[in-house]
Amino acid sequence: MTEVRGTGGDSGDVARPQLDEDLSEVSDFLRAIGKQIKLLRERAGLTQKEFAKEVGYTESLIGAVEQGKRTPQRELLVAAERVLDAGGLLLIIADDIERAKAKARVRHPEWFRGYAGLEAICEELNDWSLWDFPGLLQTEAHARAIYEMRQPVLSEEVIEMRVAARLARQEILAKWPRAMFSWVIDESVLRRPMGGWDVHAGQLRHLLEVGSTRGMVIQVMPLNRTDHAGMGGPFILLTPKGRSQMGYIEVQTSSRLITDQSEVRILNARYSTLRSQAHTPEESLSLIEKILGER
């Protein structure tokens, strides 16, 4: 058995020193972008409130972007380019941000890079999630909300880096040939509106989209099930290319990468039972739609 200390990447990298890497370059980059947007806005004679209305975003988000506390997304920069007549400057910045996001895949905390590297080359991944949506399925808004509520509090720079790194991991879902993916998610996760209902609704809609994609299976473990094979906690089974299947588990500030095949077989048996106890994929998507319709 190989053991990796620290926490993992899906249900949260909790209670840990924030700065595993030098973030000065990231924070300086965001502040520089924010200053440029503010300068262009003021040159156009717009207040933050007026500018926010023109580009279709909230005033608080514009304020956070101008302070370098939030990464401006391409859609915002395209809208700002039009409103502020920036002469192509903001479109160039959008490309720079995309390149920075591409680099984010190597900005995982040191204690998580081992698992992240294996996940990136996996040919099959099966995930039992008891407490939160799997990291590979999280929307940007949900991931940011989770990091913003983390205790001890994370700095804005760390939050931005962690969100970018989590989203970069999701590129494996679009690779071809596609790996085989399945997720079993506890119903309680679907009913816990982390980040507020708007964020949660966006997350549920994303699950519907992924669950309707060929080669990706989402099942929900119902709350009223009297037999439950997953009460020991969440875990992941993954098969990296050219390697045997292995398990990954985490709790609080400890995580383990399991390579002992006798233990992997136990996790496999549990996962098979979980899938048999959960709703079918079709029933699961119907339940997600039903929860969305309850508001």
Side-chain angles (χ1 to χ4, degrees):
M1 176 190 303
T2 301
E3 185 168 358
V4 181
R5 295 295 180 184
T7 59
D10 283 86
S11 59
D13 3 293
V14 298
R16 180 153 297 279
Q18 291 187 29
L19 300 179
D20 297 287
E21 306 88 5
D22 178 12
L23 298 181
S24 60
E25 180 182 348
V26 176
S27 58
D28 289 346
F29 180 51
L30 293 177
R31 280 193 290 269
I33 292 173
K35 288 178 180 178
Q36 291 180 29
I37 293 174
K38 181 179 180 181
L39 179 63
L40 290 168
R41 173 182 62 76
E42 291 177 340
R43 188 185 69 177
L46 296 173
T47 65
Q48 279 189 354
K49 184 175 182 179
E50 291 168 339
F51 178 55
K53 184 177 181 180
E54 288 289 331
V55 295
Y57 288 81
T58 65
E59 184 179 357
S60 61
L61 184 140
I62 297 301
V65 167
E66 290 187 356
Q67 294 173 49
K69 295 180 178 179
R70 289 285 295 272
T71 303
Q73 301 304 305
R74 177 176 288 273
E75 293 78 8
L76 170 58
L77 292 171
V78 169
E81 173 72 29
R82 170 181 52 81
V83 171
L84 301 177
D85 190 21
L89 173 64
L90 297 182
L91 297 182
I92 293 174
I93 289 175
D95 292 336
D96 288 338
I97 289 175
E98 291 302 317
R99 283 191 287 271
K101 284 183 176 180
K103 293 179 181 178
R105 62 173 55 88
V106 302
R107 290 189 175 273
H108 296 295
E110 187 277 332
W111 40 264
F112 182 55
R113 289 176 192 156
Y115 170 80
L118 294 170
E119 181 187 74
I121 60 170
C122 74
E123 296 182 323
E124 180 179 359
L125 186 145
N126 304 304
D127 187 320
W128 158 234
S129 292
L130 178 59
W131 300 316
D132 192 10
F133 295 105
L136 290 179
L137 298 182
Q138 290 181 12
T139 63
E140 179 178 348
H142 179 89
R144 179 170 283 107
I146 293 300
Y147 284 121
E148 287 178 344
M149 67 182 70
R150 186 64 46 80
Q151 296 292 331
V153 176
L154 301 177
S155 70
E156 294 292 340
E157 291 89 347
V158 170
I159 290 172
E160 289 300 317
M161 188 185 70
R162 293 290 183 264
V163 171
R166 179 158 293 184
L167 296 179
R169 285 172 53 206
Q170 297 176 6
E171 292 180 7
I172 66 169
L173 302 180
K175 284 184 178 180
W176 198 264
R178 178 177 291 145
M180 294 182 289
F181 295 99
S182 79
W183 298 272
V184 180
I185 305 172
D186 196 75
E187 183 181 343
S188 62
V189 177
L190 304 181
R191 296 189 176 278
R192 187 179 301 119
M194 305 299 285
W197 177 252
D198 289 343
V199 170
H200 190 63
Q203 177 66 67
L204 294 180
R205 285 192 289 269
H206 181 61
L207 288 188
L208 290 175
E209 180 180 349
V210 174
S212 300
T213 302
R214 187 161 54 97
M216 301 188 189
V217 178
I218 294 176
Q219 293 180 253
V220 177
M221 173 63 75
L223 287 173
N224 63 0
R225 188 68 76 226
T226 56
D227 293 322
H228 196 314
M231 294 304 291
F235 60 86
I236 296 172
L237 286 163
L238 72 159
T239 307
K241 185 175 182 179
R243 300 185 63 172
S244 299
Q245 188 178 52
M246 56 189 68
Y248 179 78
I249 59 176
E250 62 179 60
V251 58
Q252 293 295 333
T253 57
S254 296
S255 66
R256 289 172 56 207
L257 189 62
I258 302 171
T259 58
D260 184 289
Q261 289 304 296
S262 62
E263 292 196 53
V264 172
R265 281 193 292 272
I266 291 173
L267 292 180
N268 246 313
R270 288 176 183 164
Y271 193 77
S272 295
T273 304
L274 279 166
R275 292 200 65 177
S276 69
Q277 294 170 337
H279 287 309
T280 67
E282 294 77 15
E283 293 168 342
S284 298
L285 296 183
S286 296
L287 177 59
I288 295 171
E289 290 177 337
K290 178 176 180 294
I291 294 173
L292 267 170
E294 290 175 354
R295 288 292 298 265

